[in-house]
Amino acid sequence: MDKIILPADAAFIIDELRKNGFEGHIVGGCVRDSIMGIKPHDYDITTSAKPEEVKNIFPHTFDTGIQHGTVTVVINKENYEVTTFRIDGEYEDCRHPKEVNFTRDIHEDLLRRDFTMNAIAYNPYDGYTDIFGGIEDIGRKIIRGVGDPDERFKEDALRILRAFRFSAQLGFEIEPETKKAMENNVGLIKNISSERIREELTKLLISKHTEKLPLLWQTGLLENISQRLADSISGREDIIQKEIAQSEKTVPVLFAILTQFIKPDEIKKELSFYKFDNKTLNQIICLNSLVNQKAQSDEISVRRLANKTGIENAFLFYSLKKAQGDNEAESAENVLNMVIKRGDCLFVKDLALSGKDLICIGLKPGKEMGLVLNSLLDMVINDPKLNTREILIKTVKENFIDNI
Ligand code: ATP
Ligand code: MG
């Protein structure tokens, strides 16, 4: 296996640790990705130095998860997580070890890791430390649990979700014994926090290898996340898979596709489980309410939709419709871009007259004024040329002010 060219900062951290008598290796996702020729998104470093020792070596550090041995080292404004070799104690709640003990032996640290492909360490001095055949598994595109997979999934059920999403991200097969152990323990997913489920599910849905999506429903994973969602998809799996594959893969659109068969009166309940931020939650609810509508690309319909949902949601709606193969969605999206560029009036605030103007011509502030503004808006959404101060004032005078 070729050497890994380390980024200068990661190499510097490993060198400094070494100068101080400690071992340092890059480990986990960055090694896996480098072997696969994928540029790592970050570099995790594992070391024989204890957290206090790491903090003594580097001038800029902050505590990240000190009880788990992680210190963040800041080099050239970049953060590197440096974690002490550790042995995880007994696990509780199917997720967290009761205690962790530090060790000076890299082999012991690799034992606690989830999959062989994630349990490879590397540094320029020792080369690869690969005690479970991770390099070979990467070459064969296989996800294999470290040690007894059944035990490992029972310790921490999040690993089950991680295996699914790695399979979809990397296009790897799950080794049969590991897969069997996942299926046997899939019920333990119920112990995992909804935030972590949402994160992993999101990564899985965004993944390139959508041919792996059926793992979600074939393995009982989905029904253990949400029976309601699993029931709603049952018999329509192919539609979901196809639309996700064709989608632009933004979070609201992906979840709108996944939850599209859940009825509007149940959607809030379903989505509350995942603990989305409010904006994303409202976007998915909005898309769910529109999921049975087709895109209409005439200018008036486009302006009406943008007015009703807001511009951002209108774009999401067209994105959803494109994923669903609605052949008018793309032109509707183009029209929306054009309408925005031209500066068409879409909201009351865009009207070429203000509440003050209305007061000047004799209207009283309050409900009536709101009605007048909305009716003017309706008029200019139908015909943007009418959005001039003169025309709007004339319209108000003619239609809303009795004795002028
Ligand atoms: P990604 O590319 O998604 O960051 P990653 O493999 O780096 O993938 P991280 O969550 O960043 O995943 O974890 C870093 C490493 O820590 C993993 O490669 C693995 O060795 C170990 N690890 C993470 N989560 C677990 C877990 N639940 N059980 C065992 N080992 C884990
Ligand atoms: Mg990582």
Side-chain angles (χ1 to χ4, degrees), residues 27-33 40-42 44 81 86 88 91 95 109-120 146 152 155-160 162 165-166 169-170 196 199-200 203:
V27 71
C30 60
V31 178
R32 179 196 69 226
D33 289 347
H41 52 82
D42 53 20
D44 290 328
E81 288 201 349
R86 65 172 217 234
D88 291 344
Y91 275 74
R95 174 75 189 105
D109 181 82
L110 296 178
L111 268 170
R112 72 169 174 90
R113 295 180 183 270
D114 48 5
F115 306 111
T116 59
M117 63 181 186
N118 290 343
I120 311 166
V146 166
R152 304 310 307 285
E155 278 175 0
D156 178 1
L158 181 68
R159 293 172 186 151
I160 301 173
R162 284 172 59 86
R165 84 87 167 158
F166 281 125
Q169 275 181 333
L170 307 171
R196 293 311 296 262
E199 270 173 31
E200 290 296 329
K203 287 182 183 172

Side-chain angles (χ1 to χ4, degrees), residues 70-331:
T70 305
V71 171
T72 298
V73 174
V74 187
I75 310 275
N76 296 326
K77 296 192 183 143
E78 286 283 333
N79 292 350
Y80 291 86
E81 288 201 349
V82 179
T83 305
T84 307
F85 298 160
R86 65 172 217 234
I87 302 169
D88 291 344
E90 210 178 297
Y91 275 74
E92 52 190 1
D93 68 20
C94 298
R95 174 75 189 105
H96 302 100
K98 259 191 224 155
E99 50 166 14
V100 306
N101 291 305
F102 299 135
T103 165
R104 300 281 190 194
D105 181 358
I106 175 84
H107 289 209
E108 291 189 304
D109 181 82
L110 296 178
L111 268 170
R112 72 169 174 90
R113 295 180 183 270
D114 48 5
F115 306 111
T116 59
M117 63 181 186
N118 290 343
I120 311 166
Y122 177 87
N123 72 24
Y125 307 99
D126 308 295
Y128 290 92
T129 307
D130 175 24
I131 50 180
F132 308 109
I135 296 176
E136 195 186 330
D137 282 344
I138 292 173
R140 293 166 59 202
K141 296 183 183 277
I142 284 175
I143 297 172
R144 184 196 307 276
V146 166
D148 176 352
D150 191 66
E151 240 172 65
R152 304 310 307 285
F153 292 132
K154 283 197 166 68
E155 278 175 0
D156 178 1
L158 181 68
R159 293 172 186 151
I160 301 173
L161 277 173
R162 284 172 59 86
F164 282 121
R165 84 87 167 158
F166 281 125
S167 173
Q169 275 181 333
L170 307 171
F172 283 19
E173 287 296 317
I174 301 170
E175 175 273 326
E177 208 190 317
T178 305
K179 189 163 177 205
K180 208 168 99 205
M182 287 165 67
E183 286 166 0
N184 287 344
N185 290 298
V186 78
L188 299 178
I189 297 286
K190 293 202 174 1
N191 296 295
I192 302 299
S193 74
S194 28
E195 289 88 346
R196 293 311 296 262
I197 291 181
R198 184 197 69 227
E199 270 173 31
E200 290 296 329
L201 192 56
T202 303
K203 287 182 183 172
L204 196 150
L205 294 174
I206 282 178
S207 295
K208 185 168 133 207
H209 292 274
T210 47
E211 75 278 5
K212 301 288 185 194
L213 276 175
L215 285 171
L216 251 182
W217 35 86
Q218 284 166 1
T219 56
L221 177 64
L222 199 61
E223 65 195 62
N224 279 288
I225 294 176
S226 161
Q227 189 66 51
R228 182 195 292 115
L229 180 58
D231 290 345
S232 79
I233 284 174
S234 176
R236 295 143 158 170
E237 292 87 350
D238 292 352
I239 302 175
I240 303 276
Q241 188 182 359
K242 186 168 150 212
E243 292 180 3
I244 287 179
Q246 290 174 355
S247 84
E248 288 163 329
K249 304 216 171 143
T250 57
V251 172
V253 169
L254 286 168
F255 276 88
I257 292 173
L258 190 68
T259 57
Q260 65 180 292
F261 299 113
I262 294 182
K263 299 271 171 328
D265 57 335
E266 294 216 298
I267 191 72
K268 279 193 188 155
K269 217 177 185 181
E270 174 65 25
L271 293 176
S272 68
F273 168 77
Y274 304 92
K275 304 214 169 91
F276 287 105
D277 60 87
N278 266 340
K279 182 176 175 191
T280 311
L281 176 71
N282 289 326
Q283 287 174 329
I284 306 170
I285 292 172
C286 172
L287 292 175
N288 181 270
S289 73
L290 298 171
V291 77
N292 294 322
Q293 284 186 28
K294 286 176 76 63
Q296 290 175 292
S297 61
D298 64 283
E299 283 187 25
I300 295 177
S301 302
V302 167
R303 283 191 294 265
R304 283 215 176 286
L305 181 83
N307 167 265
K308 184 171 145 198
T309 65
I311 289 173
E312 204 177 340
N313 286 0
F315 277 118
L316 288 174
F317 172 69
Y318 297 137
S319 175
L320 171 66
K321 289 290 124 181
K322 282 196 286 182
Q324 293 183 320
D326 179 336
N327 52 20
E328 219 171 311
E330 192 165 342
S331 44

